[in-house]
Amino acid sequence: MRRNGSPDDHRPAGRQSTGLRRHRRRAGVLAAAAALVPAVFATSACGGPADAASASSDLTVMTWAPSGTGSADRPGMTALAEAIGREINAKGGLHGRKLRVLTCNEHNTADGVTACARQAIDAKAVAVVGSYSQYGNSFVSTLEQAGIPYLGGYGLSTPEFSSPLSYPVAGGTPALIAGSGRQLVEAGCKSVALIRPDTRAGDTLVGYLDAALRPAGIRLTDVKAPERSNDYTPIAQKAIGDDRSGNCITVALGPEPTSNLLDPFRRLGPKHTALASVIGSFQQSVVDSTGGDGGPLGGAYATGWFPPESSPVWDALRGTVHGYGGGDTAIDVADPGVQTTWVAYEVLRAATTRVDAGKPLTAKTLRAVLDSGDPIETNGATPPLSWGMTNMLASADSPRLVNTSVTFQHVQGGRLVEQHKGFVDVRWVLAGGKSPS
């Protein structure tokens, strides 16, 4: 359940207080200016209390996510962060210091995530790692003022892809929807219906998908859907259309509306229309609960940021959950939020080893490593990640979207498995260029 207003970029802004409007305008101006002049920002007085070495012998980081709020909950992300902290400390810590992992429930509200950000500042955290919040306009500028990097956020808001202190490990929804378009081109679709939220953020998805489909001459039908509804039958009917061979549907809704959409899709029972979606709208648990191959997701296509849960890439994650998770059932290895958190902490581990031995590990020295442009390996979960100037996306809105690769998966034998080996780079789609093929 959403509270205290609307998430950033997820629905048209409603009536807001003067203070909130002023805050959001100020945050937008900061993000836009930062995107245009990152070099100036990097050399200005952008530091803060987090740039000083903590008097504590511990090295502090924070991970936040909503819990107890409804469909937006991601308790597995904070639970995994705690498990990773236990494992790291059992193996000697980071940079010669014990890792102190703070977790915070951001309650799926702007006020909640702002409180989490202030807690991170008070604790002199060197980074906020692997976190989930829809309210980037509320926390990104707060972290910027303190000089704290935001490493591996879930990518739900524009500031996460524009702030020079944000280091996303995946390409957010833009990369997924562009990838879904290319996956459906490979699948031989003749027409594609996009079921997406009737919001401003949903509007942007149409452009990305159209850019992916246009070189193949595929017709796109835009099907706007309410974010909450008890009956998605009219939406499903419009998307299915005449149910002829070559018809395809891709779904870019949240998990709850996607699950609600599958019921009328099952009842309508199209014979020829292929179904696709992006990971996050559905995952393995939804495939299981809807009947596997015998359900509406049997044979469905899916585009993800990372390899499927069945990949050996996640063996180390499984080992951490088994050995240090304390039996916490909230940690679902197939959940993209859990996977994002794992990748973010892998980057943190690698980056801390690159801080010069004679320097303290602070937010500032960590940022210097991340900004260097030297690739950081994630053991196959992503391509090597770099946030140097030459790695930026040629986009005024999303220059920090450096990982433009996705994976193609499909449901086979009741499991989400790799359809296309390795990663597919959709940078040309996101940058508005021409297809390289």
Side-chain angles (χ1 to χ4, degrees):
M1 181 179 295
R2 292 186 171 94
R3 306 175 186 171
N4 292 2
S6 301
D8 301 340
D9 301 321
H10 274 244
R11 66 177 70 198
R15 185 172 298 171
Q16 303 166 345
S17 69
T18 302
L20 182 56
R21 288 197 301 270
R22 188 180 301 115
H23 174 79
R24 288 183 173 173
R25 284 198 300 269
R26 183 171 66 250
V29 170
L30 284 170
L36 292 172
V37 287
V40 173
F41 189 97
T43 58
S44 67
C46 64
D51 282 340
S54 172
S56 167
S57 61
D58 295 345
L59 186 67
T60 301
V61 297
M62 175 176 278
T63 298
W64 63 53
S67 182
T69 68
S71 62
D73 289 353
R74 293 293 187 277
M77 296 175 68
T78 48
L80 176 62
E82 292 170 343
I84 291 172
R86 288 190 286 269
E87 180 181 40
I88 286 175
N89 289 331
K91 297 180 179 180
L94 283 180
H95 208 65
R97 295 163 66 183
K98 179 180 178 182
L99 183 64
R100 180 186 178 212
V101 177
L102 302 179
T103 59
C104 188
N105 182 357
E106 60 90 77
H107 295 290
N108 198 28
T109 67
D111 289 343
V113 77
T114 300
C116 290
R118 288 173 179 159
Q119 183 183 342
I121 293 169
D122 291 343
K124 293 184 171 58
V126 299
V128 174
V129 186
S131 294
Y132 181 107
S133 179
Q134 303 184 60
Y135 298 91
N137 282 339
S138 296
F139 70 80
V140 166
S141 60
T142 302
L143 294 181
E144 283 179 350
Q145 291 165 14
I148 297 176
Y150 186 65
L151 174 57
Y154 196 82
L156 293 174
S157 61
T158 300
E160 293 179 57
F161 295 110
S162 59
S163 168
L165 265 68
S166 180
Y167 301 86
V169 298
T173 306
L176 292 180
I177 201 66
S180 182
R182 297 312 298 171
Q183 186 177 22
L184 294 179
V185 168
E186 285 193 8
C189 296
K190 303 302 181 185
S191 64
V192 173
L194 169 65
I195 302 179
R196 52 85 169 186
D198 187 8
T199 63
R200 286 181 297 185
D203 294 344
T204 66
L205 301 182
V206 180
Y208 289 125
L209 184 57
D210 183 59
L213 298 174
R214 195 183 313 120
I218 296 175
R219 178 172 55 88
L220 172 62
T221 300
D222 181 18
V223 182
K224 300 177 183 179
E227 290 187 284
R228 292 185 181 277
S229 175
N230 293 324
D231 185 10
Y232 283 96
T233 301
I235 302 298
Q237 287 175 326
K238 181 177 180 180
I240 293 169
D242 56 8
D243 187 31
R244 67 176 63 181
S245 179
N247 280 9
C248 298
I249 296 172
T250 189
V251 182
L253 299 173
E256 185 175 346
T258 298
S259 294
N260 293 339
L261 176 70
L262 293 177
D263 287 332
F265 196 88
R266 181 193 294 109
R267 291 195 303 270
L268 292 169
K271 304 297 184 185
H272 305 290
T273 300
L275 187 61
S277 188
V278 296
I279 296 295
S281 292
F282 83 89
Q283 58 198 55
Q284 184 60 52
S285 59
V286 179
V287 177
D288 296 340
S289 65
T290 55
D293 267 356
L297 291 175
Y301 300 102
T303 306
W305 295 313
F306 314 118
E309 182 269 336
S310 57
S311 169
V313 160
W314 305 114
D315 286 348
L317 167 55
R318 280 185 277 268
T320 297
V321 174
H322 177 74
Y324 298 91
D328 195 327
T329 57
I331 309 177
D332 178 4
V333 177
D335 180 78
V338 167
Q339 294 173 349
T340 301
T341 302
W342 174 260
V343 173
Y345 272 91
E346 287 293 280
V347 172
L348 177 70
R349 293 190 220 215
T352 57
T353 66
R354 300 185 185 183
V355 175
D356 292 343
K359 292 183 178 180
L361 204 166
T362 66
K364 184 176 182 179
T365 56
L366 179 60
R367 293 198 316 266
V369 171
L370 296 173
D371 290 336
S372 70
D374 294 335
I376 293 179
E377 298 285 345
T378 60
N379 299 311
T382 68
L385 297 174
S386 304
W387 296 273
M389 288 300 299
T390 58
N391 308 112
M392 298 293 114
L393 182 68
S395 164
D397 294 328
S398 305
R400 306 292 292 186
L401 201 165
V402 298
N403 182 5
T404 54
S405 292
V406 296
T407 60
F408 290 171
Q409 304 170 32
H410 64 157
V411 178
Q412 186 178 66
R415 303 294 298 172
L416 268 168
V417 297
E418 218 174 31
Q419 181 205 11
H420 184 294
K421 187 172 180 60
F423 296 99
V424 178
D425 194 350
V426 293
R427 179 174 289 258
W428 66 270
V429 179
L430 298 173
K434 294 182 179 180
S435 170
S437 57

